[in-house]
Amino acid sequence: MKNIIICILISAVSFAQQIKTGAENSEKYLPLLKDKTVGIVTNQTGIISKEKHLVDFLVEQKVKIKTIFAPEHGFRGTADAGEHVSDEIDSKTGLSIASLYGKNNKPTPEQLKGIDIMIFDLQDVGTRLYTYVSTMHRIMEACAENNVPLIVLDRPNPNIAIVDGPVLDIAFKSGIGMHPTPLLHGMTLGEEAKMINGQKWLKDGIQCDLTVVPCLNYTRKSSYSLPVRPSPNLPNDQAINLYVSLCLFEGTNVSMGRGTEKQFQIYGSPDLPKSDFAFTPKPNFGDKDPLYNGIECNGEDLSAIPRINKLEIKWLIKAYQTTADKSKFFDKRKFSIRAGNEKLQQQIEAGISEEEIRNSWKEGLAEFKKMRSKYLIYKE
């Protein structure tokens, strides 16, 4: 009997601690949708469970959806990074899908006409480089301009414990960095939405009528494994953890594994010295025309290393120091918009130590943490 009671208690604790996403916290938002015509921004990550998508759930609940707005990679999440995504019809529900990636990256007044309320539900990975936060910014702006309330259904950030890297110099603002945040900001999209609104970062300082539906049983110390790929080239937890550190290579002549099955878990190029690891990129699900297609790349396999808890720049420094021709290593424009400044490239080229580079981030990080504190939803 004693063992049975212990098992029941363990099961009860396990159940109580199960993380529920904002989308699963439906009692908080369904009443807000009653008798409303709804627009929804989502993709393959907008799920209620492994078996059910949010759109299908809302249709079952008799919610009237006018339009699905799809971000980079499309509604089903199959388009390459940067690939133009066209408008279409969802074959399962018959609902119209409007692309927010390509010619039109922000809903037009015409597209919002007849929509009473907008829902935003995308899975982020905790970095300003990921385009979903830029999509959210533009959605907030469009909603504010057209007096459409917005509900953000929050989801866990798999890198929520990490706040690191240089804070964006607004002179390098782009679609992969719209706000003065560090490369790893340690916030959920719901928290970022509150920050964008509170700091008046939308055009002309306008603010959106915003409701954030929080995750349940979630803290800043919670671990979270994504149930589906957030984008084609992030296949697993390791890639998601290493993504930002290796994404800086996209501003260089080094491949970070696109065109392999270890995207964002390996790096290499023909210009790096031969070692015990090499790979040859080929077209695949994640990239139809990868860098160094069919050419052997020398580099390093990081797919089995322990989880990192900071922005790791040692691989970038090592690759620069050992490349065959340093003058061809950096693409200044691409690297600067990813780093958020010109300084990081200059520091690496000057041979500044990793410790000194990290010290140069400290003041900006301290100011950012102080600013973001009032927008945090989840406790330590």
Side-chain angles (χ1 to χ4, degrees), residues 154-172:
D154 212 6
R155 289 184 178 269
N157 170 2
N159 291 309
I160 197 166
I162 313 174
V163 182
D164 201 13
V167 172
L168 175 78
D169 177 344
I170 210 66
F172 295 91

Side-chain angles (χ1 to χ4, degrees), residues 41-46 69-72 74 120-124 131-133 135-136 152-156 189:
V41 184
T42 191
N43 62 4
Q44 80 285 353
T45 67
F69 294 91
E72 183 181 11
F120 184 96
D121 184 27
L122 293 173
Q123 176 64 62
D124 194 54
T131 59
Y132 296 167
V133 67
T135 297
M136 184 175 71
V152 172
L153 303 183
D154 212 6
R155 289 184 178 269
L189 281 181

